[in-house]
Amino acid sequence: MGRPRMTNLLFGVAFVIVGAWVWFETRGFPTLRDGHPGPALFPGLLAIALAACGVALALHAVVQPVRLAAEFRSFALPGYGLLRILLVVALGLLYPLFHRQVGFIPTSAALIFGVALLLRAKWWLAAIVTVVSTWGIYLAFTRLLGVPL
Amino acid sequence: MNELFSWQGLLALIGGGLYGAIFGSVPGLTATLAVALFIPIAFFLDPVLALPAIIAITAVAIYAGDVGSVVAKIPGTPASAAYVEDLYEIARRHGAKYGLGISAMGSMVGGLIGTVLLIFAATTLATVAKNFSSFEYFWIAILGLTAGIFASSGSSLKALVSLLIGVLFSTVGIDPTLGYARFDFGSPNMLGGFNFIVAMIGLFGFSEVLQNVFLRSKVETRSVPATKGSKALAFFWQPIQLMLRNKLLVVRSSLIGTFVGFLPGAGADIGAWVASSLQKLAGRRGAQDEESDDRVVLAGTSSNNAAVASAWIPALSLGLPGDTTTAIVLGVFLMKGITPGPMLFEHQPGLVMALFGAFLVANVVLLPIFGFLTAYIAAYVVRIPVNLLLGVISGICIVGAYAINNNPFDVAVMVLMGLFAFLLRMGDFPLAQVVLGMVLGPILEQSFMVSAIKSRWNLMAFFDRPIAIGLMLATVLLVIVGLRIKARAASAIDMAAEAADHQERT
């Protein structure tokens, strides 16, 4: 990412939060009949270990505060890159959300065309590849492999 | 074995080899991605056809990763990155056919040595593993996870985080002791936990698409360097002569690759880095000659294909993955109702023989043929527009995730796994360790809980049995050696940085 300390700090904090959430979640899990730990044991231990790693990552990041401060000052969210990612994720979720209403072909075509355009393909070339590949995938899976798309 | 040499079996091997050749040649597309995208097809094939096809894909794709190095100095797979500069230089000096010939011939011999060791080691280990109880399996899982931490070429802390995330993922769904639903968010779809194959498609396939969309990096294509004289001579005979002059190097590198590939979580990439780095070090100490670069490539390429084969040793005999590809293979085994491990050799001897046969055919027959073919069409293959191909791959990810259970929920899981893997990649967290955690997590938890309940929570029972103690000592030894190697690597990097600083100042 180019700003390793800042990235490590963000990931470290995120892992501490996730670890804490998992640990609190496991408090509601039942124990074995004889009182020994049951389903909570492993996720609980993992939560503690993950949070500890998060702390270690964050500490490693703040060990050199001058460098971290410099990275922090120049830190900016990767605006368009992030937007592109969210767009692809939204296109990917079209099929699970709308497959009943519109089916495989339009949702898959939207994703393939969208990804190609976001990767700077020429629109007409992207359109041709989208039509051919969508139909190709559809026929291969429905006719040859018997998957009801 | 008969099925392997039927027309369907040969078609699966040839088709797998061709698919691996094309996929490995395109820069940015890895052998793991090729295998992950093949899973929806494998789901509908007989295991005796699906698994040899996967072997052919991996063996050829790892070699074909060198095509991008020769043409554009862009390694096609991470395993090729270890010697990309050297291979590029060889191709400029002696032509692309000679450069790719060294890769193909080195891969063939490395793969063959790895296969022979696979046959002996897997059979022996499976015989020993028949006596394993839940105590031994617990220590094997611990050993595998520990190896996963130190096998990472990057930060051990980040590798540990990836492992923890993977093991945490494996705790989603019904727990093995009380049948209690954990982290299911009230959804019946989550009761069975994350489908391993669906997660793999997201982790390796969809995240690749997301990363490319995020970075939007352009692949610069260059011309293929011309080969002087006979192309077949440059591809086959000259590299064979080179190997004959460096027999010990090939054997040593193949043995290194076999050992590294055997370690869970390491695989071909690390094997290639270790062998080629050792050869570079040896080259620096000795006198430089015209063949110095050739030897580095020979070391790396024979090591990575040996690792491809040896990664199957723990997978077949213990049910533990040696690398990401064998992790997918374990998923295919389970998908087909086959339990990998020591009993596989008793219950499915035909399948085991077919797998060994597939390795021999893939390395001895397919690699040279597809290697030569790929060398011929290298210029065209690297020009395949990756932006359009990634669009198609995103579509295959969707249909692949859906086809496993015909469940649209799996597609959502795949997409979100892809997003999560993309974030991990951005933070330099290794993905192979997430997969290792997902595979070893259930073995670790189940064997611990069974052993603990069996011994009435007397935890000293974990140190009672001789094989269990041996495995525990092996884990401790691995930690000590791993820490020493990491410390040496860190000090070498510091020294190199200091030297660079000093040079800049003067």
Side-chain angles (χ1 to χ4, degrees):
Chain A
M1 251 190 170
R3 296 184 185 87
R5 278 178 178 74
M6 193 68 198
T7 315
N8 285 351
L9 182 66
L10 291 175
F11 271 103
V13 172
F15 291 139
V16 171
I17 294 170
V18 172
W21 173 77
V22 172
W23 194 80
F24 281 112
E25 193 76 6
T26 58
R27 296 305 90 201
F29 291 178
T31 53
L32 298 181
R33 228 181 275 167
D34 53 7
H36 281 110
L41 179 65
F42 262 75
L45 289 175
L46 291 167
I48 294 167
L50 190 62
C53 287
V55 171
L57 271 175
L59 281 178
H60 191 251
V62 298
V63 149
Q64 284 175 296
V66 179
R67 280 197 192 177
L68 181 66
E71 283 183 14
F72 186 77
R73 274 195 297 277
S74 65
F75 185 77
L77 276 175
Y80 284 114
L82 205 64
L83 204 67
R84 287 197 296 272
I85 292 296
L86 292 177
L87 197 61
V88 175
V89 170
L91 288 170
L93 291 174
L94 282 179
Y95 182 71
L97 292 175
F98 300 109
H99 73 284
R100 284 214 180 97
Q101 290 85 352
V102 290
F104 171 78
I105 291 175
T107 51
S108 179
L111 175 67
I112 296 172
F113 190 62
V115 168
L117 283 189
L118 287 170
L119 286 166
R120 297 200 186 103
K122 290 186 179 85
W123 73 267
W124 56 270
L125 207 58
I128 294 170
V129 170
T130 300
V131 171
V132 173
S133 61
T134 307
W135 276 102
I137 294 169
Y138 181 77
L139 291 176
F141 276 83
T142 52
R143 299 287 159 85
L144 289 177
L145 304 174
V147 179
L149 289 171
Chain B
M1 194 64 127
N2 289 341
E3 273 171 294
L4 181 69
F5 294 107
S6 65
W7 70 268
Q8 294 102 322
L10 293 174
L11 192 67
L13 280 171
I14 293 167
L18 187 64
Y19 171 73
I22 294 171
F23 228 88
S25 305
V26 178
L29 306 184
T30 61
T32 309
L33 178 62
V35 176
L37 292 179
F38 177 71
I39 297 306
I41 312 285
F43 186 68
F44 295 94
L45 293 177
D46 191 279
V48 181
L49 303 178
L51 294 166
I54 290 175
I55 290 167
I57 292 171
T58 327
V60 180
I62 292 286
Y63 149 73
D66 292 341
V67 172
S69 309
V70 162
V71 178
K73 214 201 258 188
I74 302 167
T77 62
S80 306
Y83 47 86
V84 57
E85 299 276 346
D86 312 85
L87 185 53
Y88 184 73
E89 284 309 314
I90 294 171
R92 298 296 115 181
R93 280 203 308 267
H94 305 289
K97 302 281 182 304
Y98 176 66
L100 288 172
I102 297 176
S103 292
M105 295 304 116
S107 297
M108 184 183 83
V109 176
L112 198 60
I113 291 175
T115 304
V116 172
L117 291 173
L118 160 72
I119 294 169
F120 286 108
T123 317
T124 313
L125 199 56
T127 313
V128 176
K130 275 182 200 161
N131 302 318
F132 284 9
S133 68
S134 57
F135 294 100
E136 281 80 17
Y137 272 102
F138 169 78
W139 282 113
I140 281 178
I142 293 284
L143 182 66
L145 290 170
T146 312
I149 296 169
F150 294 109
S152 161
S153 52
S155 153
S156 299
L157 180 62
K158 289 189 175 181
L160 173 64
V161 169
S162 291
L163 276 172
L164 290 173
I165 291 169
V167 181
L168 199 56
F169 277 154
S170 76
T171 63
V172 173
I174 302 283
D175 101 282
T177 44
L178 291 179
Y180 181 79
R182 299 183 292 200
F183 313 112
D184 65 334
F185 301 102
S187 164
N189 284 308
M190 296 288 280
L191 287 177
F194 289 122
N195 183 298
F196 180 69
I197 300 293
V198 170
M200 292 286 283
I201 296 173
L203 285 169
F204 290 100
F206 208 68
S207 77
E208 188 71 46
V209 174
L210 291 178
Q211 191 172 26
N212 277 278
V213 167
F214 182 79
L215 297 173
R216 269 183 158 181
S217 47
K218 271 192 168 180
V219 175
E220 199 181 315
T221 50
R222 298 176 200 190
S223 60
V224 178
T227 304
K228 291 166 203 157
S230 161
K231 292 177 175 71
L233 212 65
F235 187 85
F236 292 107
W237 183 236
Q238 289 168 4
I240 289 173
Q241 282 181 313
L242 175 75
M243 281 200 299
L244 290 173
R245 285 195 295 274
N246 297 281
K247 288 186 282 286
L248 275 178
L249 169 69
V250 176
V251 173
R252 189 188 70 193
S253 304
S254 303
L255 291 177
I256 290 172
T258 306
F259 176 71
V260 173
F262 176 80
L263 294 176
D269 314 349
I270 313 279
W273 279 102
V274 174
S276 56
S277 303
L278 276 177
Q279 185 50 36
K280 277 178 193 171
L281 277 174
R284 263 180 229 152
R285 279 187 203 134
Q288 290 283 319
D289 57 41
E290 265 201 1
E291 281 185 359
S292 297
D293 288 337
D294 305 24
R295 282 195 289 269
V296 171
V297 174
L298 197 57
T301 197
S302 49
S303 172
N304 62 21
N305 268 62
V308 166
S310 68
W312 285 66
I313 298 172
L316 291 178
S317 52
L318 301 172
L320 304 176
D323 60 359
T324 40
T325 307
T326 44
I328 301 176
V329 168
L330 291 179
V332 174
F333 271 120
L334 298 174
M335 207 162 70
K336 297 284 179 191
I338 303 166
T339 309
M343 299 320 282
L344 182 73
F345 289 74
E346 263 182 30
H347 296 157
Q348 304 261 0
L351 177 64
V352 175
M353 286 301 131
L355 295 178
F356 292 159
F359 263 110
L360 291 173
V361 174
N363 283 301
V364 180
V365 183
L366 294 182
L367 241 169
I369 293 173
F370 283 114
F372 195 53
L373 183 77
T374 320
Y376 252 98
I377 59 167
Y380 306 102
V381 175
V382 291
R383 279 187 200 140
I384 290 174
V386 179
N387 47 6
L388 294 171
L389 202 59
L390 283 166
V392 179
I393 285 172
S394 64
I396 296 173
C397 286
I398 297 285
V399 74
Y402 176 79
I404 305 294
N405 295 315
N406 294 348
N407 186 356
F409 179 81
D410 285 344
V411 179
V413 170
M414 184 280 294
V415 170
L416 296 177
M417 276 287 180
L419 180 62
F420 182 68
F422 162 74
L423 291 173
L424 288 183
R425 281 177 180 218
M426 291 289 106
D428 281 333
F429 291 90
L431 292 183
Q433 274 66 9
V434 178
V435 177
L436 189 67
M438 285 180 83
V439 176
L440 292 181
I443 299 171
L444 181 73
E445 184 173 16
Q446 197 155 1
S447 57
F448 178 83
M449 294 307 278
V450 168
S451 306
I453 292 169
K454 213 158 58 177
S455 64
R456 297 174 185 235
W457 291 87
N458 171 22
L459 298 185
M460 289 314 287
F462 282 87
F463 310 96
D464 271 356
R465 294 165 62 93
I467 300 178
I469 293 172
L471 290 166
M472 184 204 69
L473 290 175
T475 308
V476 174
L477 191 70
L478 190 64
V479 172
I480 295 167
V481 173
L483 286 174
R484 277 183 70 112
I485 291 172
K486 287 276 176 183
R488 273 189 195 170
S491 70
I493 290 168
D494 285 348
M495 275 168 66
E498 261 177 39
D501 268 2
H502 181 73
Q503 209 169 13
E504 231 171 67
R505 268 182 266 133
T506 52

